[in-house]
Amino acid sequence: VTTNKHANGLEYVEVNTDLCKARIFMQGAQIDYFEPVGKKPLLWVSSADDYQPGSGIRGGIPVCWPWFGMNDNPDFPQHGFARTRVWSLESVKMREQQVDLKFTLKLSDEDRQYWPHDTEVELLFTLSDTLSVSLKNTNHGDYDVSLTQALHTYFPISNIHQLKATGFSGAKYIEFGKGPHPQEDDSVSFTRETDRVYTDLSECQALHTPDGIIEVRRENSKSAVLWNPWVEKSERLSRFNSDDYLTMVCLEAANVLEDKITLAPNESHTLTTHIGWK
Ligand code: TA6
């Protein structure tokens, strides 16, 4: 485990073991690279992103916290503020070939304009031949606090036209403000802009890509977001090439809508996503 600095100034931690290679930026505690040794990378980043300090990296796993999407206050940043803040690396543990990294975010006075609550937030990575990421909230205040959040994971798929995502039967979803729609089929394929917020979603989904099957399992989450911007939105997205939609999909472990979390004083909650090649 080493620390380093990107040409544009962003600091990062690099992990290089017999089981995987990974890179995690201090800004947003955002992992942008994870590759199990001998297998293909499990995360996608846009080549259009130039790693400028102050904006989230377009790929890997942006942390959407302490709200997902737009805030009721339109002046507040989309997907919260955690992904543009510099987190601290609190601990590194190596056990055989598994590396555990814990990042924490100290809320500043500026942050309190967005979030005036006494909430401790930690991001824990477990890196082996699979990737687990846990977003842990602890309420240190003396009143209940509610928040929404997501681990906004970007997955690499060599061709969106050949992607099948499975594990969705029994759920319902809201899309473009309409719904909820029942999700009848277990699998979803992509033929247009897709931006679905699923609830009542089972823990496990799979992305059947031309390069193999990526398995995604959530803990303490009944909601997830499935997103591909398709042609028109790709033109409007920052740090995104117009043809990037062909090679990526987001499947985001979340606590949103009726799955938002409410923490009583001294209560903790941990949202986890486990990612690996089948
Ligand atoms: O998770 C899907 C989504 O909410 C899309 O609607 C799109 O806005 C995407 O997140 C990216 O948001 P960002 O703020 O990272 O550009």
Side-chain angles (χ1 to χ4, degrees):
V1 179
T2 54
T3 56
N4 218 317
K5 197 177 252 195
H6 185 274
N8 286 339
L10 289 181
E11 286 199 339
Y12 58 85
V13 176
E14 245 173 348
V15 173
N16 206 329
T17 70
D18 294 347
L19 295 180
C20 73
K21 284 190 180 63
R23 180 168 73 169
I24 303 170
F25 281 85
M26 304 309 288
Q27 178 185 267
Q30 185 168 357
I31 187 167
D32 79 321
Y33 190 80
F34 178 77
E35 179 184 352
V37 167
K39 297 181 181 170
K40 296 208 168 194
L42 274 164
L43 298 177
W44 176 93
V45 180
S46 174
S47 60
D49 195 295
D50 58 1
Y51 290 79
Q52 284 303 327
S55 57
I57 297 162
R58 177 69 70 194
I61 307 182
V63 174
C64 302
W65 186 90
W67 62 83
F68 177 82
M70 293 309 291
N71 187 285
D72 297 342
N73 179 331
D75 299 334
F76 284 16
Q78 170 159 276
H79 293 330
F81 58 84
R83 62 179 170 167
T84 55
R85 294 293 186 273
V86 177
W87 293 50
S88 316
L89 177 58
E90 190 159 299
S91 66
V92 180
K93 289 196 187 74
M94 312 254 319
R95 285 194 304 248
E96 286 96 42
Q97 286 301 319
Q98 177 178 303
V99 179
D100 293 345
L101 301 168
K102 183 195 288 188
F103 292 80
T104 57
L105 177 63
K106 303 271 176 291
L107 297 183
S108 66
D109 291 344
E110 192 209 347
D111 296 340
R112 295 199 184 285
Q113 67 176 311
Y114 298 124
W115 191 250
H117 309 301
D118 191 355
T119 314
E120 179 187 23
V121 58
E122 296 169 313
L123 198 65
L124 303 97
F125 292 90
T126 296
L127 308 167
S128 59
D129 57 344
T130 59
L131 167 64
S132 294
V133 186
S134 290
L135 181 54
K136 180 177 180 182
N137 284 281
T138 304
N139 178 8
H140 291 303
D142 52 13
Y143 53 87
D144 285 9
V145 167
S146 292
L147 60 93
T148 59
Q149 59 185 5
L151 295 169
H152 195 298
T153 310
Y154 286 77
F155 291 99
I157 43 122
S158 44
N159 183 342
I160 190 70
H161 300 295
Q162 294 170 12
L163 174 66
K164 198 168 66 144
T166 61
F168 292 87
S169 58
K172 59 183 190 290
Y173 66 89
I174 288 179
E175 187 168 39
F176 308 128
K178 296 192 186 69
H181 308 286
Q183 171 69 41
E184 262 104 16
D185 301 333
D186 188 62
S187 69
V188 178
S189 49
F190 299 79
T191 56
R192 57 169 179 72
E193 181 181 356
T194 303
D195 196 346
R196 298 180 174 184
V197 185
Y198 278 97
T199 48
D200 295 342
L201 184 67
S202 57
E203 281 189 346
C204 297
Q205 281 68 45
L207 302 173
H208 299 254
T209 83
D211 300 312
I213 298 175
I214 298 174
E215 292 184 323
V216 188
R217 180 170 61 85
R218 305 180 332 280
E219 287 183 62
N220 301 321
S221 159
K222 296 293 288 172
S223 53
V225 178
L226 184 65
W227 177 55
N228 185 283
W230 215 249
V231 180
E232 196 271 326
K233 176 132 192 197
S234 294
E235 302 290 344
R236 297 200 317 261
L237 272 175
S238 60
R239 308 184 315 282
F240 199 82
N241 298 306
S242 53
D243 60 354
D244 275 343
Y245 77 96
L246 290 167
T247 59
M248 56 65 73
V249 73
C250 283
L251 176 56
E252 310 160 29
N255 295 115
V256 295
L257 299 179
E258 63 260 34
D259 186 34
K260 74 175 178 185
I261 60 170
T262 297
L263 297 172
N266 300 317
E267 191 179 4
S268 289
H269 173 281
T270 301
L271 164 67
T272 300
T273 186
H274 300 282
I275 298 165
W277 288 108
K278 192 177 171 82

